[in-house]
Amino acid sequence: MGVSSWLVLGGEDPEHVVDGAAGQSGHVAQLRPLIEELSKPGDLVFDPFAGWGTTLVACSVTGRRGIGLEVSTERAEEARKRVAGLPEQRMLCGDARKPPLDPDSVDMVLCDLPYFGTKLDTEATEPGQMYALRDYDTYLETLDEAFGAIAKVMRPGAHAVIAVQNRRLDGTFVPLAWDAARVLGRHLTLGDERVHLYDWPVSEGDPMHTNRSHEYLLMAVK
């Protein structure tokens, strides 16, 4: 029946913790197994929403070549400094809708989506900065453009793993993960979903509000 659909995650490896980026930087410890499972040593792994460069660190420790693309000039520069001493890792500043890569050149895509409705970069003016979008339909249209461009740079048979949660904004449930899967399916073949589980505390309250201690991994292939 294949692999398990869920995994309970622990903390980050101490040597990979990013100071000053709590809650914004993913964990090398959770990305490394995915990279090892879905790519080979020497393969090119692309993160189109690279943030603080965590995917590239995971690529380095697994012997993969990594390219990260981040629209925020500030975060791209910080990530560039983070991976500067790591072999075969490139951090670029740019728009995910226009990745500066050759068609069919990427062996794996691995990323965490910039979530709709966050308070991060709300005043940003960079074209393609999805955090700044306040209209959900516009966000999904921009995501559609990005997924289309990302699919073009993937080689046939390459895997994509997109991490995303559903959201609750101002008391309203927003099915971001499910809408993102629908959009992704226009450009790649959806395979299945996996779920990363976090050991977060639970408190009593409204039964319609959970502690949202899980994250979907949308699995797709070109």
Side-chain angles (χ1 to χ4, degrees):
M1 295 298 291
V3 301
S4 175
S5 64
W6 59 273
L7 176 67
V8 179
L9 298 173
E12 176 64 298
D13 296 331
E15 68 268 31
H16 300 311
V17 173
V18 179
D19 293 335
Q24 299 176 20
S25 176
H27 290 179
V28 172
Q30 71 191 59
L31 301 181
R32 181 174 181 172
L34 293 166
I35 293 172
E36 291 176 332
E37 177 186 2
L38 299 172
S39 67
K40 303 185 302 295
D43 276 357
L44 178 61
V45 178
F46 175 45
D47 185 342
F49 306 105
W52 299 90
T54 303
T55 298
L56 303 190
V57 178
C59 286
S60 177
V61 300
T62 56
R64 274 67 169 176
R65 296 174 294 131
I67 293 182
L69 191 63
E70 169 56 43
V71 70
S72 166
T73 54
E74 179 182 348
R75 273 195 300 282
E77 181 58 28
E78 290 299 317
R80 190 177 292 117
K81 293 176 183 177
R82 184 184 183 192
V83 304
L86 303 179
E88 301 288 353
Q89 308 305 315
R90 294 173 57 203
M91 187 68 204
L92 307 174
C93 184
D95 189 333
R97 298 173 299 176
K98 302 175 182 179
L101 301 172
D102 293 332
D104 302 333
S105 63
V106 169
D107 299 299
M108 179 183 179
V109 170
L110 177 60
C111 67
D112 196 339
L113 286 190
Y115 286 5
F116 176 76
T118 67
K119 296 180 180 179
L120 188 66
D121 294 338
T122 56
E123 304 299 323
T125 58
E126 301 102 327
Q129 178 49 270
M130 296 180 65
Y131 283 130
L133 299 177
R134 298 294 96 183
D135 179 77
Y136 190 51
D137 287 339
T138 301
Y139 172 93
L140 292 178
E141 290 169 3
T142 304
L143 188 62
D144 190 29
E145 289 183 60
F147 282 160
I150 291 164
K152 289 179 181 178
V153 303
M154 297 170 62
R155 65 163 175 79
H159 291 87
V161 181
I162 314 295
V164 58
Q165 283 184 325
N166 290 319
R167 307 217 64 209
R168 183 170 295 278
L169 301 173
D170 299 324
T172 300
F173 178 78
V174 179
L176 176 57
W178 303 334
D179 286 338
R182 174 173 53 83
V183 174
L184 182 63
R186 296 172 184 166
H187 306 283
L188 299 173
T189 300
L190 295 174
D192 211 327
E193 64 183 14
R194 298 189 191 182
V195 183
H196 274 173
L197 305 177
Y198 300 89
D199 186 16
W200 290 347
V202 177
S203 59
E204 295 183 3
D206 188 336
M208 295 297 287
H209 291 199
T210 72
N211 66 341
R212 202 161 302 284
S213 60
H214 63 279
E215 181 176 50
Y216 292 103
L217 303 181
L218 308 179
M219 313 290 291
V221 66
K222 181 175 178 178

